[in-house]
Amino acid sequence: MFLRVLVFYLVTMVFSGILNALQAATGPSPDLIQLVQFAPALGVGVMFVVFRRTTRVDARFTPATVAAGRSALVVGIVVAAMLVSVVVYVVAGRTWRAESLPFPFWALVITMVVGAAGEELGWRAYLQPYLQTRFSVLRSSLIVGVLWGFWHIGGFSHGPAYMGLFVVMATALSVVMGGVLRGARRSNLVVATTAHAAVNLSLILLFTEEDGDLFPMAVLAAVWTIAAIAVSSVQVRRAVEVEDRAAGPVRLG
């Protein structure tokens, strides 16, 4: 298993370098779309070629009601987390994003959704379900989160402290997404894309965390860690309730 995960990760990193170079050469604005977001999807493509018979991707769009319900849930969690972050900003006397958006909002929505789908095809639609064939949802989410966080290797340009906080935020967000996806019934791509795009849109609307400032990244890491603990606690409590019902006495007659 770990060999296959390593192959996927290394292939994804190679594609990331190629796509970053392509973007630098061709010139699409990274504020609108980042080509590197499609590296995980290309990595899955390679896994299909190399491990064709055993590569599975949870990218189904049905049942629609489950996908819609879980998507609404995860968007609600994102909104709540961002509102808490804004409150922290206000209390700390900090201001959030001051400058205008670099592109029309509708264009950002489209590119954020497309880019998020490119990433989530690899992280939550392929890697998460694959890891869950051996590990628990929580452990799988932690592994995906750490790999996902360090995949954003450009964060090291702002120093190890910034990158460390970013990895914490990414890992916590991965745990939240993993918990929501637990009952998504193979609608991983839809739900994960919704969550990812909502987070990215919230960040670009509210914060300028990509300028290397440690304060917003620390706030986001802390808020999402609290959210991850809350979601994990709910999942554990539900699992215990299910076990208790299963172990309860059966009434005959």
Side-chain angles (χ1 to χ4, degrees):
M1 168 171 277
F2 286 109
L3 176 60
R4 190 172 300 193
V5 172
L6 179 61
V7 170
F8 169 73
Y9 198 64
L10 291 177
V11 169
T12 300
M13 293 297 286
V14 169
F15 277 123
S16 298
I18 294 173
L19 291 175
N20 277 327
L22 179 63
Q23 179 138 19
T26 57
S29 173
D31 291 329
L32 181 62
I33 187 70
Q34 296 184 13
L35 299 182
V36 70
Q37 290 184 287
F38 300 101
L42 293 174
V44 173
V46 171
M47 301 306 288
F48 265 117
V49 173
V50 179
F51 305 103
R52 182 182 301 274
R53 293 184 178 180
T54 55
T55 298
R56 299 290 183 269
V57 178
D58 285 349
R60 300 178 186 177
F61 288 83
T62 55
T65 53
V66 173
R70 293 288 168 167
S71 296
L73 172 62
V74 79
V75 168
I77 294 173
V78 171
V79 171
M82 291 307 174
L83 286 177
V84 172
S85 300
V86 169
V87 171
V88 173
Y89 260 60
V90 172
V91 172
R94 301 283 293 246
T95 58
W96 49 92
R97 191 179 188 94
E99 66 270 23
S100 60
L101 293 175
F103 294 93
F105 180 72
W106 63 266
L108 290 173
V109 170
I110 293 174
T111 56
M112 291 294 173
V113 170
V114 172
E119 284 194 45
E120 294 305 331
L121 188 63
W123 302 125
R124 247 67 57 172
Y126 166 68
L127 189 56
Q128 177 93 17
Y130 178 66
L131 288 171
Q132 285 178 197
T133 61
R134 179 173 297 184
F135 304 116
S136 66
V137 173
L138 177 58
R139 182 175 294 184
S140 300
S141 300
L142 289 170
I143 294 172
V144 173
V146 171
L147 295 177
W148 182 37
F150 279 108
W151 173 71
H152 294 80
I153 195 170
F156 279 110
S157 63
H158 299 307
Y162 178 93
M163 189 61 183
L165 290 170
F166 181 86
V167 172
V168 170
M169 182 191 75
T171 304
L173 179 56
S174 180
V175 170
V176 171
M177 293 168 71
V180 175
L181 287 171
R182 181 191 293 265
R185 299 180 188 174
R186 298 187 180 276
S187 297
N188 287 33
L189 182 60
V190 177
V191 179
T193 296
T194 302
H196 196 146
V199 170
N200 285 350
L201 281 170
S202 299
L203 292 177
I204 199 170
L205 287 173
L206 299 174
F207 306 111
T208 54
E209 88 292 344
E210 292 186 354
D211 62 2
D213 187 359
L214 290 180
F215 182 80
M217 189 53 66
V219 171
L220 292 168
V223 169
W224 278 109
T225 297
I226 294 172
I229 293 172
V231 169
S232 298
S233 298
V234 171
Q235 294 294 331
V236 170
R237 185 165 62 250
R238 286 181 177 176
V240 171
E241 290 174 354
V242 170
E243 290 178 1
D244 288 345
R245 287 197 297 269
V250 178
R251 186 175 178 178
L252 300 177

